[in-house]
mmCIF file of all heavy atoms in Angstrom:
data_model
loop_
_atom_site.group_PDB
_atom_site.id
_atom_site.type_symbol
_atom_site.label_atom_id
_atom_site.label_comp_id
_atom_site.label_asym_id
_atom_site.label_seq_id
_atom_site.Cartn_x
_atom_site.Cartn_y
_atom_site.Cartn_z
ATOM 1 N N LEU A 1 0.858 -1.195 -0.003
ATOM 2 C CA LEU A 1 0.044 -0.079 -0.008
ATOM 3 C C LEU A 1 0.869 1.253 -0.073
ATOM 4 O O LEU A 1 0.525 2.296 -0.605
ATOM 5 C CB LEU A 1 -0.925 -0.028 1.216
ATOM 6 C CG LEU A 1 -1.997 1.119 1.310
ATOM 7 C CD1 LEU A 1 -2.824 1.147 0.103
ATOM 8 C CD2 LEU A 1 -2.841 0.887 2.552
ATOM 9 N N TYR A 2 2.007 1.239 0.589
ATOM 10 C CA TYR A 2 2.984 2.366 0.701
ATOM 11 C C TYR A 2 3.303 2.825 -0.766
ATOM 12 O O TYR A 2 3.729 3.984 -0.906
ATOM 13 C CB TYR A 2 4.227 1.980 1.441
ATOM 14 C CG TYR A 2 5.111 1.029 0.590
ATOM 15 C CD1 TYR A 2 6.055 1.589 -0.307
ATOM 16 C CD2 TYR A 2 4.913 -0.287 0.626
ATOM 17 C CE1 TYR A 2 6.803 0.752 -1.082
ATOM 18 C CE2 TYR A 2 5.689 -1.198 -0.204
ATOM 19 C CZ TYR A 2 6.599 -0.641 -1.049
ATOM 20 O OH TYR A 2 7.350 -1.467 -1.822
ATOM 21 N N ALA A 3 3.232 1.940 -1.762
ATOM 22 C CA ALA A 3 3.614 2.239 -3.062
ATOM 23 C C ALA A 3 2.821 3.567 -3.666
ATOM 24 O O ALA A 3 3.304 4.192 -4.455
ATOM 25 C CB ALA A 3 3.440 1.106 -4.018
ATOM 26 N N TYR A 4 1.596 3.694 -3.121
ATOM 27 C CA TYR A 4 0.874 4.856 -3.544
ATOM 28 C C TYR A 4 1.613 6.151 -3.204
ATOM 29 O O TYR A 4 1.667 7.121 -4.040
ATOM 30 C CB TYR A 4 -0.495 4.947 -2.861
ATOM 31 C CG TYR A 4 -1.551 4.175 -3.537
ATOM 32 C CD1 TYR A 4 -2.043 3.000 -2.969
ATOM 33 C CD2 TYR A 4 -2.063 4.571 -4.811
ATOM 34 C CE1 TYR A 4 -3.033 2.255 -3.602
ATOM 35 C CE2 TYR A 4 -3.135 3.831 -5.411
ATOM 36 C CZ TYR A 4 -3.544 2.623 -4.791
ATOM 37 O OH TYR A 4 -4.556 2.002 -5.430
ATOM 38 N N ALA A 5 2.186 6.251 -2.036
ATOM 39 C CA ALA A 5 3.028 7.429 -1.640
ATOM 40 C C ALA A 5 4.220 7.587 -2.575
ATOM 41 O O ALA A 5 4.420 8.714 -2.931
ATOM 42 C CB ALA A 5 3.420 7.285 -0.163
ATOM 43 N N TRP A 6 4.909 6.521 -2.798
ATOM 44 C CA TRP A 6 6.078 6.612 -3.646
ATOM 45 C C TRP A 6 5.608 7.032 -5.119
ATOM 46 O O TRP A 6 6.320 7.872 -5.742
ATOM 47 C CB TRP A 6 6.824 5.265 -3.666
ATOM 48 C CG TRP A 6 8.090 5.321 -4.471
ATOM 49 C CD1 TRP A 6 8.413 4.481 -5.474
ATOM 50 C CD2 TRP A 6 9.216 6.203 -4.394
ATOM 51 N NE1 TRP A 6 9.650 4.769 -6.057
ATOM 52 C CE2 TRP A 6 10.163 5.887 -5.302
ATOM 53 C CE3 TRP A 6 9.514 7.293 -3.534
ATOM 54 C CZ2 TRP A 6 11.308 6.544 -5.494
ATOM 55 C CZ3 TRP A 6 10.617 7.952 -3.701
ATOM 56 C CH2 TRP A 6 11.612 7.608 -4.686
ATOM 57 N N SER A 7 4.589 6.439 -5.604
ATOM 58 C CA SER A 7 4.047 6.712 -6.914
ATOM 59 C C SER A 7 3.626 8.211 -6.992
ATOM 60 O O SER A 7 3.988 8.826 -8.054
ATOM 61 C CB SER A 7 2.825 5.908 -7.257
ATOM 62 O OG SER A 7 3.179 4.596 -7.326
ATOM 63 N N ARG A 8 3.136 8.678 -6.014
ATOM 64 C CA ARG A 8 2.704 10.125 -5.979
ATOM 65 C C ARG A 8 3.919 11.075 -6.108
ATOM 66 O O ARG A 8 3.955 12.023 -6.800
ATOM 67 C CB ARG A 8 1.984 10.437 -4.664
ATOM 68 C CG ARG A 8 1.427 11.868 -4.652
ATOM 69 C CD ARG A 8 0.545 12.054 -3.362
ATOM 70 N NE ARG A 8 -0.538 11.100 -3.265
ATOM 71 C CZ ARG A 8 -0.691 10.304 -2.191
ATOM 72 N NH1 ARG A 8 0.190 10.340 -1.161
ATOM 73 N NH2 ARG A 8 -1.641 9.439 -2.164
ATOM 74 N N GLU A 9 5.014 10.722 -5.379
ATOM 75 C CA GLU A 9 6.196 11.487 -5.498
ATOM 76 C C GLU A 9 6.795 11.391 -6.807
ATOM 77 O O GLU A 9 7.262 12.452 -7.389
ATOM 78 C CB GLU A 9 7.217 11.065 -4.412
ATOM 79 C CG GLU A 9 6.703 11.358 -2.928
ATOM 80 C CD GLU A 9 6.304 12.765 -2.795
ATOM 81 O OE1 GLU A 9 7.024 13.766 -3.239
ATOM 82 O OE2 GLU A 9 5.130 13.043 -2.240
ATOM 83 N N LEU A 10 6.857 10.227 -7.424
ATOM 84 C CA LEU A 10 7.398 10.077 -8.779
ATOM 85 C C LEU A 10 6.533 10.826 -9.808
ATOM 86 O O LEU A 10 7.145 11.478 -10.733
ATOM 87 C CB LEU A 10 7.451 8.567 -9.179
ATOM 88 C CG LEU A 10 8.420 7.725 -8.314
ATOM 89 C CD1 LEU A 10 8.194 6.237 -8.754
ATOM 90 C CD2 LEU A 10 9.829 8.131 -8.529
ATOM 91 N N ALA A 11 5.217 10.773 -9.579
ATOM 92 C CA ALA A 11 4.350 11.432 -10.539
ATOM 93 C C ALA A 11 4.534 12.986 -10.456
ATOM 94 O O ALA A 11 4.521 13.648 -11.488
ATOM 95 C CB ALA A 11 2.871 11.050 -10.305
ATOM 96 N N LYS A 12 4.672 13.528 -9.318
ATOM 97 C CA LYS A 12 4.832 14.949 -9.111
ATOM 98 C C LYS A 12 6.170 15.388 -9.758
ATOM 99 O O LYS A 12 6.275 16.468 -10.375
ATOM 100 C CB LYS A 12 4.880 15.294 -7.665
ATOM 101 C CG LYS A 12 3.444 15.327 -7.023
ATOM 102 C CD LYS A 12 3.565 15.663 -5.517
ATOM 103 C CE LYS A 12 2.239 15.656 -4.848
ATOM 104 N NZ LYS A 12 2.301 15.960 -3.433
ATOM 105 N N THR A 13 7.236 14.525 -9.655
ATOM 106 C CA THR A 13 8.509 14.840 -10.206
ATOM 107 C C THR A 13 8.360 14.919 -11.739
ATOM 108 O O THR A 13 8.862 15.821 -12.430
ATOM 109 C CB THR A 13 9.585 13.819 -9.805
ATOM 110 O OG1 THR A 13 9.704 13.781 -8.390
ATOM 111 C CG2 THR A 13 10.823 14.077 -10.498
ATOM 112 N N VAL A 14 7.687 13.908 -12.422
ATOM 113 C CA VAL A 14 7.451 13.892 -13.809
ATOM 114 C C VAL A 14 6.634 15.051 -14.282
ATOM 115 O O VAL A 14 6.884 15.647 -15.316
ATOM 116 C CB VAL A 14 6.909 12.560 -14.160
ATOM 117 C CG1 VAL A 14 6.312 12.592 -15.689
ATOM 118 C CG2 VAL A 14 7.941 11.414 -14.061
ATOM 119 N N PHE A 15 5.535 15.366 -13.460
ATOM 120 C CA PHE A 15 4.665 16.423 -13.831
ATOM 121 C C PHE A 15 5.299 17.790 -13.880
ATOM 122 O O PHE A 15 4.865 18.686 -14.637
ATOM 123 C CB PHE A 15 3.448 16.385 -12.907
ATOM 124 C CG PHE A 15 2.219 17.212 -13.490
ATOM 125 C CD1 PHE A 15 1.593 16.741 -14.593
ATOM 126 C CD2 PHE A 15 1.881 18.396 -12.871
ATOM 127 C CE1 PHE A 15 0.553 17.536 -15.146
ATOM 128 C CE2 PHE A 15 0.821 19.096 -13.439
ATOM 129 C CZ PHE A 15 0.119 18.717 -14.506
ATOM 130 N N GLN A 16 6.411 17.903 -13.194
ATOM 131 C CA GLN A 16 7.110 19.192 -13.123
ATOM 132 C C GLN A 16 7.540 19.577 -14.557
ATOM 133 O O GLN A 16 7.591 20.780 -14.925
ATOM 134 C CB GLN A 16 8.306 19.178 -12.182
ATOM 135 C CG GLN A 16 7.963 19.170 -10.713
ATOM 136 C CD GLN A 16 7.111 20.349 -10.338
ATOM 137 O OE1 GLN A 16 7.381 21.492 -10.702
ATOM 138 N NE2 GLN A 16 6.052 20.118 -9.614
ATOM 139 N N ARG A 17 7.880 18.634 -15.329
ATOM 140 C CA ARG A 17 8.351 18.861 -16.763
ATOM 141 C C ARG A 17 7.120 19.402 -17.538
ATOM 142 O O ARG A 17 7.292 20.358 -18.369
ATOM 143 C CB ARG A 17 8.895 17.662 -17.441
ATOM 144 C CG ARG A 17 9.261 17.939 -18.898
ATOM 145 C CD ARG A 17 10.080 16.863 -19.466
ATOM 146 N NE ARG A 17 10.168 17.193 -20.942
ATOM 147 C CZ ARG A 17 10.606 16.307 -21.879
ATOM 148 N NH1 ARG A 17 11.014 15.091 -21.429
ATOM 149 N NH2 ARG A 17 10.705 16.682 -23.112
ATOM 150 N N PHE A 18 5.954 18.945 -17.275
ATOM 151 C CA PHE A 18 4.726 19.383 -17.969
ATOM 152 C C PHE A 18 4.382 20.826 -17.517
ATOM 153 O O PHE A 18 4.045 21.739 -18.323
ATOM 154 C CB PHE A 18 3.472 18.532 -17.779
ATOM 155 C CG PHE A 18 3.554 17.304 -18.658
ATOM 156 C CD1 PHE A 18 4.158 16.106 -18.162
ATOM 157 C CD2 PHE A 18 3.171 17.384 -19.920
ATOM 158 C CE1 PHE A 18 4.214 14.993 -19.016
ATOM 159 C CE2 PHE A 18 3.184 16.205 -20.794
ATOM 160 C CZ PHE A 18 3.722 15.136 -20.309
ATOM 161 N N LYS A 19 4.664 21.130 -16.249
ATOM 162 C CA LYS A 19 4.462 22.478 -15.718
ATOM 163 C C LYS A 19 5.430 23.442 -16.416
ATOM 164 O O LYS A 19 5.054 24.578 -16.742
ATOM 165 C CB LYS A 19 4.640 22.574 -14.173
ATOM 166 C CG LYS A 19 3.522 22.020 -13.461
ATOM 167 C CD LYS A 19 3.744 22.118 -12.005
ATOM 168 C CE LYS A 19 2.554 21.927 -11.158
ATOM 169 N NZ LYS A 19 2.823 22.112 -9.747
ATOM 170 N N ARG A 20 6.621 23.028 -16.592
ATOM 171 C CA ARG A 20 7.685 23.799 -17.231
ATOM 172 C C ARG A 20 7.380 24.008 -18.788
ATOM 173 O O ARG A 20 7.488 25.071 -19.273
ATOM 174 C CB ARG A 20 9.034 23.133 -17.021
ATOM 175 C CG ARG A 20 10.214 24.000 -17.577
ATOM 176 C CD ARG A 20 11.437 23.270 -17.562
ATOM 177 N NE ARG A 20 11.494 22.238 -18.605
ATOM 178 C CZ ARG A 20 11.970 21.052 -18.427
ATOM 179 N NH1 ARG A 20 12.426 20.616 -17.341
ATOM 180 N NH2 ARG A 20 11.914 20.137 -19.518
ATOM 181 N N ASP A 21 7.046 22.902 -19.493
ATOM 182 C CA ASP A 21 6.873 22.960 -20.946
ATOM 183 C C ASP A 21 5.475 23.285 -21.372
ATOM 184 O O ASP A 21 5.301 23.624 -22.520
ATOM 185 C CB ASP A 21 7.256 21.532 -21.519
ATOM 186 C CG ASP A 21 8.685 21.098 -21.268
ATOM 187 O OD1 ASP A 21 9.471 21.959 -20.801
ATOM 188 O OD2 ASP A 21 8.961 19.944 -21.480
ATOM 189 N N GLY A 22 4.506 23.206 -20.460
ATOM 190 C CA GLY A 22 3.091 23.431 -20.760
ATOM 191 C C GLY A 22 2.372 22.147 -20.649
ATOM 192 O O GLY A 22 2.772 21.113 -21.062
ATOM 193 N N LEU A 23 1.228 22.281 -19.952
ATOM 194 C CA LEU A 23 0.390 21.073 -19.590
ATOM 195 C C LEU A 23 -0.021 20.199 -20.856
ATOM 196 O O LEU A 23 -0.190 19.072 -20.741
ATOM 197 C CB LEU A 23 -0.769 21.434 -18.789
ATOM 198 C CG LEU A 23 -0.512 22.115 -17.452
ATOM 199 C CD1 LEU A 23 -1.887 22.319 -16.757
ATOM 200 C CD2 LEU A 23 0.324 21.195 -16.555
ATOM 201 N N PHE A 24 -0.173 20.907 -21.973
ATOM 202 C CA PHE A 24 -0.716 20.199 -23.055
ATOM 203 C C PHE A 24 0.365 20.254 -24.311
ATOM 204 O O PHE A 24 -0.018 20.230 -25.461
ATOM 205 C CB PHE A 24 -1.989 20.875 -23.532
ATOM 206 C CG PHE A 24 -3.010 20.901 -22.518
ATOM 207 C CD1 PHE A 24 -3.295 22.107 -21.828
ATOM 208 C CD2 PHE A 24 -3.636 19.731 -21.969
ATOM 209 C CE1 PHE A 24 -4.277 22.157 -20.846
ATOM 210 C CE2 PHE A 24 -4.579 19.735 -21.001
ATOM 211 C CZ PHE A 24 -4.855 20.997 -20.343
ATOM 212 N N ASN A 25 1.636 20.337 -23.884
ATOM 213 C CA ASN A 25 2.697 20.331 -24.874
ATOM 214 C C ASN A 25 2.811 18.960 -25.507
ATOM 215 O O ASN A 25 3.041 17.961 -24.930
ATOM 216 C CB ASN A 25 3.978 20.700 -24.203
ATOM 217 C CG ASN A 25 5.162 20.871 -25.123
ATOM 218 O OD1 ASN A 25 5.549 19.855 -25.752
ATOM 219 N ND2 ASN A 25 5.737 22.008 -25.308
ATOM 220 N N ARG A 26 2.670 19.030 -26.891
ATOM 221 C CA ARG A 26 2.621 17.819 -27.619
ATOM 222 C C ARG A 26 3.940 17.056 -27.597
ATOM 223 O O ARG A 26 3.986 15.849 -27.395
ATOM 224 C CB ARG A 26 2.284 18.146 -29.081
ATOM 225 C CG ARG A 26 2.224 16.954 -30.024
ATOM 226 C CD ARG A 26 1.861 17.461 -31.462
ATOM 227 N NE ARG A 26 1.367 16.333 -32.270
ATOM 228 C CZ ARG A 26 0.113 15.995 -32.300
ATOM 229 N NH1 ARG A 26 -0.867 16.637 -31.660
ATOM 230 N NH2 ARG A 26 -0.293 14.959 -33.071
ATOM 231 N N GLU A 27 5.057 17.762 -27.726
ATOM 232 C CA GLU A 27 6.372 17.086 -27.695
ATOM 233 C C GLU A 27 6.684 16.487 -26.295
ATOM 234 O O GLU A 27 7.185 15.375 -26.261
ATOM 235 C CB GLU A 27 7.490 18.089 -27.994
ATOM 236 C CG GLU A 27 7.489 18.572 -29.417
ATOM 237 C CD GLU A 27 6.508 19.635 -29.723
ATOM 238 O OE1 GLU A 27 6.033 20.372 -28.865
ATOM 239 O OE2 GLU A 27 6.033 19.713 -30.945
#
């Protein structure tokens, strides 16, 4: 069950790139 917490941190890290590049950036 702890994996949800780890997944959340990984997802937030990856999502930072979308925040930087644009949420709907095709590339």
